[in-house]
Amino acid sequence: MSDQTPKQPNQSTMQNPLTQYPQPPFPKQPQNAPGTVHKMDPQPDHGEASYQGSGRLTGRKALITGGDSGIGRAAAIAYAREGADVAINYLPAEESDAQEVIALIEAAGRKAVALPGDLTDEAFCQQLIQDAVRELGGLDILVNNGGKQTAQDSIADITTEQFDATYKTNVYALFWISKAAMPHLKPGASIINTSSIQARQPSKNLLDYAPTKAAIVAFTQALAQQVAAQGIRVNAVAPGPFWTPLQPSGGQPQETIQTFGSETPLGRPGQPAEIAPLYVFLASQESSYSTGAVFASTGGMLMV
Ligand code: NAD
Ligand code: MG
């Protein structure tokens, strides 16, 4: 393991974003999907040692899918430190990553709920909402963030099974979970969906994944218009390249991992800690006039 990740001051401290975090080249580091944070080199920063809350989500109840690692882990840490109780969903194989997040939420003095299960299963998605609402005592914030990405060079290499699993995880689960959540959401509630730069700049080796991220944008925009009259907001976050297990566990070829983030104007991948404040903003009342919008964090790549 290289020790490239510098100790960070809190998220408000002024720094040069070019040198704030590790830059490529990175070592090859293959691991099997869904991957674990601990096999990443350098280790990602989810804000464990740096995120400082200021009561922006006091008393809120949040469910985050894909909350064990990566962007979802960073959002879970930030939400808890901002005063929210947090339930996380993840695959059963990710229990050890998830337990670290549970411990971090509890260390922030908030209630933590672990809800493992497979998002490609409609019945599980419905149960997930029932369990989250029961354990948290309601639901104010829903972050649809769990996702599947498997790079393939050719359309000939994409099996129907892969295509189906990518759409079930990224799109169907979004529909099933949002539908089940809606009866529980009150005015002021916020839904945040994780899209991607891939919605606007699809890579040739992400032929099944990129369209799911475009679908998430359209779903976000349509649902936002539908539920605005209920005082419920729906927005999307579009990350550029972020340093998470999704990428080395089949999301990209290992050659791309070595140069990951070099294509951005900032010249490096984003760290999950750098996008968590966007999820906080969209969950909080500070973003009360924003709905149906897509917020990008791409290191300067254009969401055109
Ligand atoms: P990650 O691997 O840390 O998180 C993805 C999570 O999805 C996994 O931890 C897993 O818990 C969950 N997941 C996958 N399949 C599942 C299933 N069938 N059932 C339940 N959970 C399942 O990686 P991440 O990059 O933090 O991914 C979070 C979101 O960000 C995803 O939607 C991804 O598409 C999106 N995104 C990531 C990047 C990036 O560069 N890392 C860029 C744009 C968008
Ligand atoms: Mg994970």
Side-chain angles (χ1 to χ4, degrees), residues 173-191:
L174 178 70
F175 164 64
W176 291 327
I177 289 174
S178 302
K179 185 175 178 180
M182 212 50 74
H184 302 284
L185 300 179
K186 297 192 292 283
S190 174
I191 298 178

Side-chain angles (χ1 to χ4, degrees), residues 28 179 195 199 252:
K28 291 185 180 179
K179 185 175 178 180
S195 176
Q252 297 289 348

Side-chain angles (χ1 to χ4, degrees), residues 41-265:
D41 182 8
Q43 281 285 288
D45 182 5
H46 310 92
E48 289 93 336
S50 58
Y51 192 89
Q52 210 170 67
S54 54
R56 295 163 75 192
L57 299 175
T58 303
R60 305 287 218 289
K61 302 163 191 314
L63 169 63
I64 304 173
T65 66
D68 61 300
S69 57
I71 293 167
R73 178 189 283 221
I77 292 168
Y79 281 8
R81 293 185 187 174
E82 294 291 356
D85 293 335
V86 184
I88 58 169
N89 162 254
Y90 50 91
L91 285 163
E94 300 176 297
E95 189 63 37
S96 67
D97 275 7
Q99 283 307 322
E100 291 173 359
V101 179
I102 294 295
L104 285 159
I105 296 166
E106 288 174 345
R110 306 308 311 182
K111 180 166 188 178
V113 183
L115 298 171
D118 190 338
L119 292 175
T120 65
D121 178 344
E122 179 176 7
F124 172 74
C125 288
Q126 290 163 350
Q127 191 62 46
L128 175 63
I129 290 296
Q130 302 314 318
D131 291 348
V133 167
R134 190 189 63 245
E135 296 294 322
L136 295 170
L139 189 65
D140 306 308
I141 301 161
L142 169 62
V143 180
N144 287 303
N145 168 75
K148 178 177 170 59
Q149 175 183 321
T150 314
Q152 301 285 6
D153 284 338
S154 165
I155 189 170
D157 300 326
I158 302 178
T159 62
T160 298
E161 287 70 26
Q162 174 180 326
F163 192 86
D164 197 48
T166 303
Y167 270 77
K168 288 264 166 58
T169 310
N170 299 3
V171 182
Y172 280 63
L174 178 70
F175 164 64
W176 291 327
I177 289 174
S178 302
K179 185 175 178 180
M182 212 50 74
H184 302 284
L185 300 179
K186 297 192 292 283
S190 174
I191 298 178
I192 303 157
N193 301 321
T194 304
S195 176
S196 171
I197 183 76
Q198 290 290 324
R200 294 284 185 268
Q201 293 192 36
S203 299
K204 63 183 179 183
N205 65 351
L206 297 176
L207 188 61
D208 59 341
Y209 173 86
T212 68
K213 294 294 165 176
I216 291 170
V217 169
F219 183 91
T220 299
Q221 293 169 332
L223 186 62
Q225 293 174 70
Q226 190 181 114
V227 301
Q230 300 169 50
I232 299 167
R233 299 182 298 110
V234 190
N235 291 288
V237 173
F242 271 77
W243 193 244
T244 72
L246 182 87
Q247 301 292 0
S249 67
Q252 297 289 348
Q254 290 300 314
E255 295 69 33
T256 307
I257 296 301
Q258 291 181 292
T259 59
F260 197 63
S262 61
E263 71 279 23
T264 70

